């Protein structure tokens, strides 16, 4: 890692620590004030404090919803099409027939996500990205001002002022954090994406393609059936910003879907050396590398960080597929059988049916490749 990149990471971490301390102090003060006003005895103080923490948690969830609603509202205004809306692991999205269905999907490092299909490029290559990309930040900030005003007008009651003040503090902090050009939990913030889109024409194309890939995936289409030119690499993508690097990762995903595993392995190895690839994608690429190693009978125990990631993403299809292959390579048929059942059980809840079909085919490939290992065990 070069010195400028290292310095940037240090400054980002320091800034996040300052924001976290400020938010923690304000929320702590709010809860203590709330507890003092309502408590009547030691036992009641504990109950009141717990209720204050619940109100704080509620305020956080509501601001996550507001943030994603910002992307939705400003995306619709900009001509985008609704694909899915997720809070935590609960996702409301369209199935391949266009009907709204409640599904389950979790992505480590994210509290929610609103995916939308982009409009077509105009003749001059213009794509409306500003309002859609920063819509969550705008609505968090606007709502924070409203809730501070509501707190000021809330009078002598106690519960509503506590809730309004928490919503204001958390709304303002979420707006600030998402507006800063950082990478949090391995995922670029809205501000980081906006900065990339503003200075790189390739990033604008990569952004459009990623949204189209997500839109088509929700309709059941597999990577291998999508237009080839979406995944073509002209050189330098993997080292020229997070949006461009993500496009190279999708190329690796497509090679895995096509079962061109030697090419996939070569590209994955190259991407794992690139610092521009966001941390989440790096971790998912390592998951794929574990699978490719397992096909050759090699079991590589994940390090502490990867072990933590795979545990957090234990129901993610590629994690289940790679863990299955590793179990087979280690001769653990019982564990492999359990992992395969869990993967097959996702048919009813996973929002990207084409992706799941691809993963099940890779499971079958692993079974064939490791048949001799299983028989010896």
């Amino acid at each position: 890692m070069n010195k400028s990149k290292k310095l940037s990471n240090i400054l980002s971490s320091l800034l996040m620590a300052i924001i976290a301390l400020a938010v923690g102090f304000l929320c702590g003060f709010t809860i203590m004030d709330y507890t003092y006003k309502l408590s009547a005895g030691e036992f009641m103080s504990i109950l009141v404090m717990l209720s204050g923490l619940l109100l704080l948690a509620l305020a956080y969830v509501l601001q996550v919803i507001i943030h994603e609603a910002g992307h939705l509202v400003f995306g619709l205004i900009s001509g985008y099409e609704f694909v899915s809306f997720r809070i935590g692991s609960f996702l409301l999205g369209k199935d391949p027939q266009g009907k709204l269905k409640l599904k389950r999907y979790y992505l480590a490092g994210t509290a929610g996500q609103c995916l939308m299909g982009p409009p077509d490029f105009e003749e001059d290559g213009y794509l409306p990205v500003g309002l859609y990309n920063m819509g969550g930040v705008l609505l968090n900030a606007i709502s924070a001002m409203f809730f501070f005003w509501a707190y000021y007008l809330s009078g002598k009651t106690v519960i509503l002022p506590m809730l309004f003040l928490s919503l204001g503090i958390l709304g303002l902090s979420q707006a600030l954090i998402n507006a800063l050009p950082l990478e949090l939990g391995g995922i670029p913030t809205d501000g980081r994406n906006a900065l990339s889109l503003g200075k790189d024409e390739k990033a604008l194309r990569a952004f459009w393609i990623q949204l189209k890939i997500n839109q088509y995936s929700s309709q059941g289409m597999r990577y291998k059936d999508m237009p080839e030119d979406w995944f073509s690499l002209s050189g330098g993508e993997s080292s020229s910003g997070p949006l461009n690097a993500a496009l190279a990762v999708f190329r690796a995903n497509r090679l895995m879907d096509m079962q061109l595993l030697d090419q996939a392995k070569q590209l994955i190895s190259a991407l794992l050396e690139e610092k521009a690839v966001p941390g989440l994608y790096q971790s998912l690429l390592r998951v794929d590398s574990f699978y490719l190693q397992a096909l050759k009978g090699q079991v590589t125990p994940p390090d502490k960080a990867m072990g933590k990631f795979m545990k957090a993403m234990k129901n993610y299809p590629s994690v289940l597929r790679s863990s299955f292959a590793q179990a087979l390579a280690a001769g653990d048929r019982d564990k492999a059988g359990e992992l395969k059942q869990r993967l097959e059980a996702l048919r009813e809840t996973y929002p990207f049916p084409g992706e799941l079909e691809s993963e099940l085919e890779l499971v079958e490939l692993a079974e064939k490749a490791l048949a001799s290992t299983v028989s010896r065990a």
Side-chain angles (χ1 to χ4, degrees), residues 210-258:
Q210 288 173 59
L211 292 181
K212 294 300 288 186
I213 289 174
N214 287 323
Q215 182 180 19
Y216 280 31
S217 293
S218 71
Q219 297 170 1
M221 185 177 289
R222 292 173 59 167
Y223 292 140
K224 69 177 185 179
D225 298 322
M226 295 180 193
E228 165 67 25
D229 63 322
W230 287 3
F231 302 88
S232 61
L233 304 180
S234 58
E237 279 87 351
S238 60
S239 59
S240 58
L243 290 170
N244 294 315
L247 188 59
V249 174
F250 277 116
R251 172 68 178 177
N253 296 153
R254 188 172 194 263
L255 292 172
M256 292 289 291
D257 188 21
M258 298 172 70

Side-chain angles (χ1 to χ4, degrees), residues 145-157 160-161 164:
M145 297 303 102
F146 170 80
F147 288 123
F148 282 135
W149 175 72
Y151 167 73
Y152 176 76
L153 297 179
S154 54
K156 296 182 179 180
T157 60
L160 281 180
F164 290 150

Side-chain angles (χ1 to χ4, degrees), residues 287-301:
V287 168
D288 285 338
S289 71
F290 291 157
Y291 171 82
L292 295 172
Q293 292 171 14
L295 289 186
K296 299 182 181 299
Q298 304 170 4
V299 180
T300 305

Side-chain angles (χ1 to χ4, degrees), residues 191-212:
R192 176 79 180 274
N193 284 335
L195 185 64
S196 298
L197 291 169
K199 65 180 183 180
D200 187 348
E201 293 182 3
K202 284 187 177 181
L204 190 65
R205 173 180 175 270
F207 179 74
W208 183 86
I209 290 174
Q210 288 173 59
L211 292 181
K212 294 300 288 186

Side-chain angles (χ1 to χ4, degrees), residues 8-9 34 61 217 235 243 255:
S8 176
N9 288 342
Y34 168 79
V61 172
S217 293
L243 290 170
L255 292 172

